[in-house]
Amino acid sequence: MDNSLRRLSPLLKSAVGTPGKAGNFQRDVIIVQYLFNLIKPIIQYDIPEDGIISPTLIRTISQFQSIHLRFQHPDGVIEPEGKTFRGLVAAAMKYPLASQQSSFTSSFFRQPSANENSVRQLVNDYLRKERYNVADETLERSKLIAPGIDGAVSLTEQDFTEAWENLNRRVELNIIKAFSIVESGGRSGFNALNLPIIAYEGHIFRKYTKRKYDQTHPFLSYKYVKKAGPEWQKNNIDQLSAWNTLAKAYALDAEAAIKSCSWGMFQIMGFNYESCGYKDLGTFLKDMKSNACKQLNAFLHLCNKNSSLLSAMVNKDFYNMAFNYNGSDFGDYDVKIRRTYESLEKGRR
């Protein structure tokens, strides 16, 4: 789960484009000019690779933003790690790398300078690494979304009885069942994709990626405003959407993405993997994908690790169960747990 290959150093040192909004260092301008020349089939003309910020280059940036990236308000600026730069790189990756001598410079019968050649080589190397990363990410994504079921996807009465024993018979069996029913929505710990049920939490991804993707990926990384806000609803409209969202976040930062999902029948947040008895996220992910018993086992580890939660479960303190399991913004979670527990108790009589 090493993401180091994906985190290439920024190619641009500073922004390029509209004067007053960009640094326009000569090296950075040449990089942008060369990238646009690589996508000549799209823009249909050559750009001088002279390091000079010209009205033509600014217009080209704005048109690329407007026509190809669908910006409603193009600003003619390419930020080092912004959407325009990523879009330009993605477009350039579809075309062959240019030779050391560009078509523009050759038309004027001059040899490119050593500086121009070194910049082109720098860009070529960057694009090669990006192509490798795309292939690598595709492979990693295929591993991520590959089912790993090796046992039952639902729990038996015997499983719940053993869980009761695991908690030293202190927590009523129907309290454990109530958690499983409320957290899974009454389903098993697995969805129709044969993958564990998940919910993606973009504000957690934002935390673990230090807000790096707030601007470029606002539906993957966003500030927490309220429980189940608009971004959350879009990302988790169904399990296919949730897993597609996870895959996109995983391509940016695999570990942060896994930490940012709640997993399985008990919807355990990935960042709790150590409290669930795991030394690494990879093993946690493998077990969440394996079977319902391993999901239950992770929950039991978490209960034993959280004394406040365990005490609330022992005392049937539904408010503190909700608070210690889902945080302060738990909505009506305490009511759901209580009602589910009472319904299960009623069924015993």
Side-chain angles (χ1 to χ4, degrees):
M1 209 170 296
D2 181 5
N3 237 34
S4 59
L5 287 174
R6 300 190 187 112
R7 293 194 291 267
L8 296 179
S9 298
L11 192 55
L12 300 179
K13 302 291 186 184
S14 181
V16 172
T18 305
K21 296 182 178 180
N24 291 324
F25 298 141
Q26 184 183 50
R27 169 189 170 280
D28 292 338
V29 175
I30 293 174
I31 288 172
V32 169
Q33 291 168 334
Y34 176 52
L35 284 169
F36 274 120
N37 281 331
L38 287 177
I39 63 168
K40 182 181 176 181
I42 293 179
I43 65 173
Q44 297 294 309
Y45 53 86
D46 284 304
I47 299 288
E49 293 172 30
D50 54 13
I52 298 173
I53 194 73
S54 66
T56 299
L57 182 58
I58 296 171
R59 184 175 69 252
T60 301
I61 296 171
S62 296
Q63 289 176 343
F64 184 77
Q65 290 175 326
S66 175
I67 297 171
H68 300 286
L69 300 181
R70 307 296 184 187
F71 281 22
Q72 291 187 349
H73 304 287
D75 59 4
V77 175
I78 300 179
E79 297 287 348
E81 294 187 89
K83 186 175 181 179
T84 306
F85 176 75
R86 300 311 312 164
L88 182 55
V89 167
M93 287 166 59
K94 297 177 183 178
Y95 295 93
L97 299 178
S99 62
Q100 294 287 63
Q101 184 170 327
S102 72
S103 59
F104 183 88
T105 54
S106 64
S107 68
F108 280 80
F109 302 101
R110 76 170 179 86
Q111 292 297 316
S113 68
N115 180 55
E116 288 170 329
N117 273 340
S118 66
V119 170
R120 291 186 198 120
Q121 188 60 52
L122 177 72
V123 176
N124 289 349
D125 289 343
Y126 185 92
L127 293 175
R128 288 189 187 98
K129 290 176 181 177
E130 280 289 88
R131 287 191 178 101
Y132 175 84
N133 286 345
V134 167
D136 183 57
E137 287 167 11
T138 301
L139 178 62
E140 285 299 310
R141 172 172 170 152
S142 69
K143 292 177 182 176
L144 172 69
I145 64 176
I149 296 174
D150 62 8
V153 299
S154 57
L155 297 173
T156 66
E157 282 298 317
Q158 181 62 33
D159 294 327
F160 282 114
T161 299
E162 289 177 3
W164 174 63
E165 296 277 1
N166 181 286
L167 297 179
N168 297 316
R169 303 185 179 184
R170 297 176 63 208
V171 177
E172 287 191 23
L173 188 146
N174 279 336
I175 290 290
I176 303 170
K177 284 186 177 181
F179 268 94
S180 73
I181 293 169
V182 172
E183 289 292 344
S184 68
R187 302 182 295 271
S188 80
F190 291 81
N191 57 38
L193 306 172
N194 288 327
L195 292 165
I197 55 174
I198 64 167
Y200 177 82
E201 304 285 355
H203 68 286
I204 302 297
F205 186 74
R206 180 180 193 245
K207 172 185 175 181
Y208 284 105
T209 55
K210 299 180 180 178
R211 307 182 184 184
K212 180 178 180 180
Y213 300 105
D214 281 12
Q215 299 301 315
T216 57
H217 298 79
F219 271 86
L220 296 181
S221 178
Y222 51 82
K223 184 178 180 180
Y224 186 89
V225 177
K226 66 175 183 176
K227 192 176 184 69
E231 297 94 347
W232 190 95
Q233 292 182 34
K234 179 179 175 63
N235 290 334
N236 298 290
I237 190 169
D238 54 34
Q239 283 296 294
L240 180 59
S241 297
W243 272 90
N244 281 335
T245 301
L246 170 59
K248 292 174 184 176
Y250 187 91
L252 298 175
D253 190 311
E255 291 194 1
I258 295 171
K259 289 178 180 179
S260 303
C261 280
S262 53
W263 293 87
M265 182 177 293
F266 295 90
Q267 287 295 278
I268 297 169
M269 289 302 303
F271 61 74
N272 281 321
Y273 73 97
E274 290 180 310
S275 295
C276 295
Y278 296 95
K279 293 182 178 179
D280 61 83
L281 275 168
T283 308
F284 171 81
L285 175 61
K286 181 177 181 293
D287 276 7
M288 290 301 101
K289 294 170 73 174
S290 294
N291 57 67
C293 281
K294 288 182 179 177
Q295 293 178 0
L296 173 60
N297 189 56
F299 171 73
L300 296 174
H301 268 91
L302 187 64
C303 292
N304 280 313
K305 200 77 174 179
N306 188 331
S307 59
S308 296
L309 172 62
L310 187 59
S311 176
M313 293 170 72
V314 170
N315 295 317
K316 290 183 281 189
D317 179 349
F318 297 101
Y319 177 91
N320 279 306
M321 280 189 225
F323 180 85
N324 284 286
Y325 201 72
N326 273 337
S328 58
D329 190 7
F330 59 73
D332 64 347
Y333 188 88
D334 57 333
V335 176
K336 289 180 178 178
I337 287 285
R338 178 177 57 79
R339 286 177 177 172
T340 304
Y341 166 74
E342 290 174 350
S343 177
L344 291 167
E345 285 291 294
K346 186 177 181 180
R348 288 176 55 195
R349 298 179 189 133

